[in-house]
């Protein structure tokens, strides 16, 4: 049953110990002699106006273009407890400390710029926000992680969180897409949501049919005085996940609980 659950939720074939199993884009030449200067100036003015209308970019007081960087919406989310689960949580049902550890969120983070004519920028901070019902839980960027394979359940890391480095501000180039960075987000102060409570909220009979995961970023375009805020959000199919978890034998308020959860994140 657990293997069937993993195949449906994580879309991979379960292999290995149960803890690991539980947890699985985007000038023609012309003759200028004899043409009056006024006509050329007028033509250039019209061309510039058309470019503004086509691109939506306006000159700034710094003489460059308004930065058009955009966040790429994540297509999956990795939910994990901060504390490592036991090797076999199905057998070790009495080991519950890990279920009380905070929820962590890992997202693929990437930025895209449509025009090479815009200014460069620097990503200064990022947050992941999970909204369950009327409650939102903020998580702050903390680590760059390295999760290989098709899912976290199939990954082999030296330690539980798969930490690679502490996340730092990232320079962004105009007209290019940044390399996707797997980023782990830890709870903001006083906003911790225990892993067990999170899973129970999803499994509850009156739980949400879906919930939102938003990625917020603060960018500073080159030469700008104020940062610019970006957001990309996606939807988790909680109703479908609840059905599959219940079919696999999980129950709200009871151990064992899934050791990880890696759902698809659907466009809003």
């Amino acid at each position: 049953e657990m293997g069937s659950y993993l195949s449906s939720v994580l879309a991979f074939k379960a292999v290995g110990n149960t803890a690991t199993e539980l947890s699985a884009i985007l000038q023609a030449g012309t003759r200028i002699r004899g043409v009056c200067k006024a006509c050329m100036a007028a033509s250039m003015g019209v061309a510039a106006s058309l470019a503004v209308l086509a691109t939506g970019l306006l000159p700034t007081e710094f003489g460059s273009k308004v930065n058009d960087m955009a966040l790429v919406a994540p297509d999956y989310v990795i939910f994990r407890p901060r504390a490592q689960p036991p090797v076999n949580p199905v057998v070790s049902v009495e080991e519950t400390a890990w279920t009380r550890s905070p929820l962590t969120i890992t997202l693929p983070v990437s930025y895209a710029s449509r025009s090479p004519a815009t200014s460069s920028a620097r990503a200064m901070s990022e947050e992941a926000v999970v909204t369950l019902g009327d409650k939102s839980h903020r998580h702050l960027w903390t680590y760059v992680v390295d999760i290989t394979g098709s899912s976290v359940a199939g990954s082999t890391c030296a330690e539980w969180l798969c930490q690679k480095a502490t996340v730092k501000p990232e320079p962004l180039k105009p007209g290019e897409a940044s390399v996707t960075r797997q980023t782990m987000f830890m709870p903001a102060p006083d906003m911790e949501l225990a892993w067990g409570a999170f899973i129970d909220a999803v499994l509850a009979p009156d739980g949400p049919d879906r919930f939102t995961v938003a990625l917020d970023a603060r960018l500073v375009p080159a030469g700008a005085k104020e940062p610019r805020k970006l957001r990309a959000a996606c939807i988790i199919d909680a109703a479908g996940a609840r059905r599959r978890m219940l079919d696999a034998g999980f129950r709200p308020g009871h151990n064992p609980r899934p050791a990880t959860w890696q759902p698809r994140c659907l466009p809003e």
Side-chain angles (χ1 to χ4, degrees), residues 62-141:
F62 306 104
S64 61
K65 302 291 186 180
V66 174
N67 189 277
D68 74 336
M69 290 289 176
L71 268 172
V72 177
D75 58 356
Y76 68 87
V77 184
I78 298 175
F79 297 115
R80 286 186 291 174
R82 187 167 64 189
Q84 183 172 4
V87 174
N88 193 333
V90 174
V91 174
S92 307
V93 293
E94 301 304 320
E95 297 181 36
T96 60
W98 66 279
T99 68
R100 297 190 295 273
S101 69
L103 166 72
T104 72
I105 302 170
T106 297
L107 295 171
V109 179
S110 180
Y111 296 84
S113 172
R114 296 183 298 273
S115 172
T118 60
S119 62
S120 60
R122 193 173 185 84
M124 300 304 296
S125 65
E126 295 163 356
E127 294 185 1
V129 182
V130 175
T131 301
L132 284 163
D134 59 354
K135 294 183 179 180
S136 294
H137 304 270
R138 292 173 51 242
H139 289 65
L140 311 179
W141 69 348

Side-chain angles (χ1 to χ4, degrees), residues 3 5 23 37 44 58 72 75 83-84 98 126 131 136 153-154 196 201 203-204 214 216 229 232 239 251 255 261:
Y5 162 73
S23 322
K37 293 183 179 180
M44 291 174 66
L58 298 174
V72 177
D75 58 356
Q84 183 172 4
W98 66 279
E126 295 163 356
T131 301
S136 294
L203 287 174
D216 293 333
K229 295 180 180 179
R251 294 292 180 268
N255 286 320
W261 181 27

